[in-house]
Amino acid sequence: MTTKPLNVNEDEIAKFEEVASQWWDLTGDFKPLHQINPLRVQFICQHIAQQFDGIQNLQAIDVGCGGGILSESLAKLGASVTGIDMGTEPLNVAKLHALEMGLPISYQKTTAEEKAVESANSFDVVTCMEMLEHVPDPASVIHACATLVKPGGLVFFSTLNKSIKSYLLAIVAAEKVLKLVPNGTHDHDKFIKPSQLITWAEDFDLKCIDAAGIHYNPLTENHKLIDSLDVNYILCCRKL
């Protein structure tokens, strides 16, 4: 009997291991993530308010949590948060920072697929931000997220559209010209069109109920939610 290989790209894990110490440096490699995080939280909370009485005491899991930027935001708002990732150093940073902030977040080194076997239908809210473009099989992660969420619960996905504009902004501008993130952070071949992501989600009984683009201008540091999904976008799905 053969064991199914983990849905993990070791090279991608290594990239984030190398820069893990910068995760909470607001001027370092993760500065763009810190700047767009309030937009994500705004989008997530808007839909939680429509689906639930509020975020207080909801069971939430942040898939591919990294150093815990979004996990901490959700915990501060009152959710009971679990964060999972396969990077040892990012998780160590996340655990230490949560301890310093007095936030009771449960961080675990595991894949989405492994966690789904262990905790099916356990979470009111599942978030998966900027992670799908870093794994060999994104559809497998989407399936796991659909398994983790309770019926009627919400799943949020954020990733980069496979477009010429996303290549120019996320790779040429952000990595090579402005050096906002390390060179090689992104692979345009692994970017995902919204139509493809929605199709995968629907295959696993997740209905997309809203979508928004995340606009980020690195020169002016202006960031806002927009209608266009041509670069970075976020989806809200409800489990049927």
Side-chain angles (χ1 to χ4, degrees):
M1 181 177 177
T2 57
T3 303
K4 184 179 179 181
L6 295 178
N7 186 21
V8 172
N9 183 326
E10 295 295 347
D11 291 337
E12 295 290 298
I13 297 293
K15 285 182 198 174
F16 291 101
E17 294 273 0
E18 286 179 13
V19 294
S21 62
Q22 296 189 47
W23 218 284
W24 288 94
D25 178 358
L26 302 185
T27 62
D29 288 345
F30 296 99
K31 178 180 177 179
L33 280 187
H34 285 280
Q35 293 188 321
I36 67 171
N37 186 59
L39 297 179
R40 294 173 173 173
V41 175
Q42 173 189 334
F43 184 85
I44 291 167
C45 287
Q46 167 191 332
H47 290 286
I48 285 176
Q50 294 171 0
Q51 184 72 7
F52 304 100
D53 291 335
I55 195 170
Q56 288 282 340
N57 301 317
L58 289 184
Q59 295 293 320
I61 184 167
D62 188 13
V63 175
C65 63
I69 296 172
L70 178 61
S71 298
E72 287 204 8
S73 295
L74 298 178
K76 286 176 181 176
L77 291 171
S80 176
V81 180
T82 299
I84 64 171
D85 203 281
M86 285 298 286
T88 301
E89 286 308 310
L91 282 174
N92 287 340
V93 169
K95 290 174 183 176
L96 179 59
H97 199 269
L99 186 64
E100 292 172 348
M101 300 300 291
L103 295 170
I105 301 170
S106 172
Y107 285 115
Q108 302 167 17
K109 184 176 180 180
T110 186
T111 65
E113 291 86 350
E114 290 172 323
K115 189 64 178 175
V117 171
E118 172 192 319
S119 304
N121 301 311
S122 295
F123 296 94
D124 303 293
V125 175
V126 177
T127 60
C128 183
M129 306 283 112
E130 308 301 324
M131 186 259 203
L132 295 174
E133 69 271 25
H134 296 290
V135 296
D137 185 357
S140 177
V141 174
I142 294 168
H143 186 194
C145 290
T147 303
L148 285 163
V149 73
K150 299 174 183 177
L154 300 177
V155 183
F156 297 89
F157 297 109
S158 166
T159 190
L160 285 150
N161 193 348
K162 195 170 187 176
S163 65
I164 299 231
K165 188 172 180 180
S166 70
Y167 174 77
L168 293 174
L169 292 179
I171 296 179
V172 176
E175 293 185 18
K176 303 185 184 305
V177 178
L178 299 173
K179 309 292 185 185
L180 293 173
V181 294
N183 195 38
T185 295
H186 296 111
D187 179 350
H188 187 256
D189 287 340
K190 294 181 179 177
F191 290 3
I192 303 168
K193 290 183 178 295
S195 57
Q196 176 65 81
L197 205 166
I198 292 170
T199 297
W200 280 329
E202 290 178 345
D203 286 343
F204 306 121
D205 293 329
L206 295 176
K207 178 178 175 58
C208 181
I209 58 175
D210 196 15
I214 298 176
H215 171 78
Y216 175 71
N217 186 324
L219 299 178
T220 63
E221 298 190 353
N222 177 43
H223 37 282
K224 59 186 177 181
L225 293 174
I226 58 175
D227 291 332
S228 172
L229 310 183
D230 55 359
V231 183
N232 192 297
Y233 64 95
I234 185 169
L235 302 183
C236 173
C237 301
R238 181 187 297 120
K239 185 172 182 178
L240 300 177

